[in-house]
Amino acid sequence: MDNLQTKPYDSSAYKRSRAAYKMECTFEYFIAILVGDAFLAKLLTNIGFSESAVGIISSLVTLAFLFQLVSIFVVRKIINTKLVAILFHTASQLFFMTLYLVPFMPFATELKKPLTVICILLAYFGNYMVSNLIFRWGNSFVDPSKRASFTAGKEVISLLSGMAVSFGVGYIMDRFEARQDLEGGFIFAASAILVFCISDLCMLLLIKNDIKKPAEKGSGVSLKDILINTLGNRNFLSVVVLMILWDSSRYMVVGFMGPYKNSLYALSVVQIINVVSQLARAVFSKPFGKYTSKRTFAKGIELGLVVAALAMLINVFTTPSTAFLVIVYSILYNICLAGVSGNIINITYSYVDSRYFAEASAIKNSIAGLFGFGASLVGGRILSAVQANGNVIFGIQVHGQQVLSAISFVMFILTILFTHFVVAKQRVMIQ
């Protein structure tokens, strides 16, 4: 019986699909690198956004999770998974590419700013409309007992190769900027995104399609059924609270670190720091995966959160005179992602019937996204207030990012306690 159950996962079609899915995630990660952190901060600053605005816009990713709510009403009506995934995902990446072309558009700064925000929102709309669909589709070729290790291995590939992309593009853009031609660097970044977009498309084409029969369209599942099996599930509600705490804690500060890093180091140096940080995450991904497989997704998350709290505590003491501490912060924050990012997605399998995975993930991410974006708005107000006061609080010279890190540290401690005493105590659903 066991041989019959494992046979599909050993087929050539399944093996090809798993390999293609791994590489698709890698190319998607390359694009995420170029539209995040210091790269995005450099672009937005060039367009004319303030430092606090850069942080808020960088956190739009959390608000964009709301787009997943739309997917709840369409995901079960999709017959051709591959076609829908390709259309939305590719369009998303082309909008990300367009971001780097905004500086060249013949518009005033007042028009370029809203155009930039629109491009970001459209990019995330296309991405999150099918993100859960692609995740469930790609993971359908993975043996359920090996999900944690597969996710860890997938992360290692993305992170190791992403280091070359991060440093290479950062170095080239620094060279352009040194020649007073930063716009040339933007053209190079746009071209790189286009190449990665085409590569991502090729990988999606290689994954075995999931075509439903017309009779299965909609699957006869009503919105009431979805709500009963998600928000009506107390164990799942605790996961939603966990996601809210996680997003609120980190987006209080991470969106504002791009401009801060750029003020401390050149872009190429920032990317070296990012490369070292990603290497640390890659090194710890496998151990976290093994730890999670032996324990539970909740325990893996809990360990990652401890590292996250330590990262924020270190960042409280990061100033221009102690700039090296931003390296320690970056390394620790990336290590924490090895324990949290994959597990906080997979933990949904522990408490929700797999038939409702896409809908549950959309609900969880959307609700948490609202709180995460709200945290970034609060963080932006605090940062602006500190800067308006000459970076002085109670007569002490301090930077806004230090204050935000202190707040984030406290929030992470609360998140750890909730994970340990509530989520980790829940009974896991075996499926």
Side-chain angles (χ1 to χ4, degrees), residues 113-132:
K113 288 182 178 180
L115 181 60
T116 300
V117 174
I118 290 172
C119 281
I120 292 176
L121 289 175
L122 287 175
Y124 281 125
F125 171 75
N127 184 42
Y128 288 123
M129 268 295 292
V130 293
S131 60
N132 287 324

Side-chain angles (χ1 to χ4, degrees), residues 90-386:
T90 303
S92 162
Q93 294 171 337
L94 291 177
F95 275 114
F96 277 133
M97 180 192 72
T98 304
L99 279 176
Y100 279 98
L101 302 180
V102 171
F104 305 96
M105 295 182 180
F107 305 130
T109 300
E110 288 69 24
L111 288 178
K112 288 182 180 179
K113 288 182 178 180
L115 181 60
T116 300
V117 174
I118 290 172
C119 281
I120 292 176
L121 289 175
L122 287 175
Y124 281 125
F125 171 75
N127 184 42
Y128 288 123
M129 268 295 292
V130 293
S131 60
N132 287 324
L133 180 71
I134 293 176
F135 182 85
R136 186 169 63 179
W137 176 34
N139 277 278
S140 67
F141 305 103
V142 181
D143 187 331
S145 65
K146 299 178 180 178
R147 280 188 185 129
S149 58
F150 176 81
T151 300
K154 180 162 59 73
E155 279 198 353
V156 169
I157 294 173
S158 296
L159 292 169
L160 291 177
S161 52
M163 294 174 195
V165 172
S166 181
F167 173 72
V169 177
Y171 175 77
I172 291 173
M173 288 185 68
D174 263 353
R175 293 292 298 271
F176 275 107
E177 189 171 16
R179 299 203 308 255
Q180 305 298 313
D181 184 24
L182 183 57
E183 287 76 13
F186 292 157
I187 290 293
F188 176 80
S191 301
I193 291 176
L194 179 60
V195 172
F196 298 145
C197 174
I198 295 173
S199 302
D200 185 285
L201 172 60
C202 291
M203 293 303 103
L204 287 174
L205 289 170
L206 287 173
I207 301 176
K208 185 178 183 295
N209 202 357
D210 177 21
I211 300 180
K212 297 181 177 65
K213 297 177 182 178
E216 296 179 309
K217 187 177 179 181
S219 302
V221 178
S222 66
L223 179 60
K224 181 180 179 181
D225 292 328
I226 292 172
L227 293 177
I228 289 174
N229 286 278
T230 54
L231 295 179
N233 179 338
R234 289 184 61 185
N235 288 343
F236 174 67
L237 282 178
S238 70
V239 174
V240 174
V241 174
L242 170 59
M243 188 74 175
I244 288 172
L245 291 170
W246 162 246
D247 273 356
S248 299
S249 300
R250 63 186 181 132
Y251 284 109
M252 175 62 68
V253 60
V254 295
F256 305 96
M257 287 305 296
Y260 197 45
K261 289 178 183 177
N262 287 341
S263 71
L264 298 174
Y265 296 104
L267 183 60
S268 57
V269 177
V270 171
Q271 296 315 310
I272 292 175
I273 295 172
N274 289 341
V275 164
V276 173
S277 302
Q278 290 159 6
L279 179 60
R281 179 178 175 180
V283 168
F284 280 88
S285 284
K286 280 291 186 180
F288 265 113
K290 291 181 179 178
Y291 176 81
T292 300
S293 295
K294 291 181 179 179
R295 307 293 292 276
T296 60
F297 292 126
K299 285 295 183 180
I301 292 171
E302 184 180 338
L303 184 58
L305 290 171
V306 172
V307 181
L310 182 58
M312 295 305 164
L313 181 60
I314 292 294
N315 209 37
V316 170
F317 303 98
T318 301
T319 66
S321 60
T322 59
F324 69 93
L325 288 179
V326 81
I327 302 174
V328 182
Y329 155 80
S330 296
I331 291 174
L332 289 175
Y333 180 69
N334 273 271
I335 290 175
C336 98
L337 293 177
V340 179
S341 62
N343 287 330
I344 211 160
I345 297 174
N346 285 322
I347 196 173
T348 304
Y349 283 114
S350 297
Y351 306 114
V352 176
D353 190 303
S354 59
R355 292 174 297 172
Y356 300 93
F357 175 83
E359 293 85 354
S361 295
I363 292 170
K364 176 188 67 176
N365 293 336
S366 298
I367 294 174
L370 280 174
F371 282 86
F373 187 69
S376 72
L377 291 177
V378 173
R381 294 292 295 272
I382 294 173
L383 180 63
S384 296
V386 173

Side-chain angles (χ1 to χ4, degrees), residues 56-74:
I56 293 172
I57 293 173
S58 298
S59 302
L60 274 177
V61 59
T62 60
L63 187 63
F65 274 123
L66 283 173
F67 295 136
Q68 289 191 353
L69 286 177
V70 181
S71 70
I72 292 177
F73 301 100
V74 299

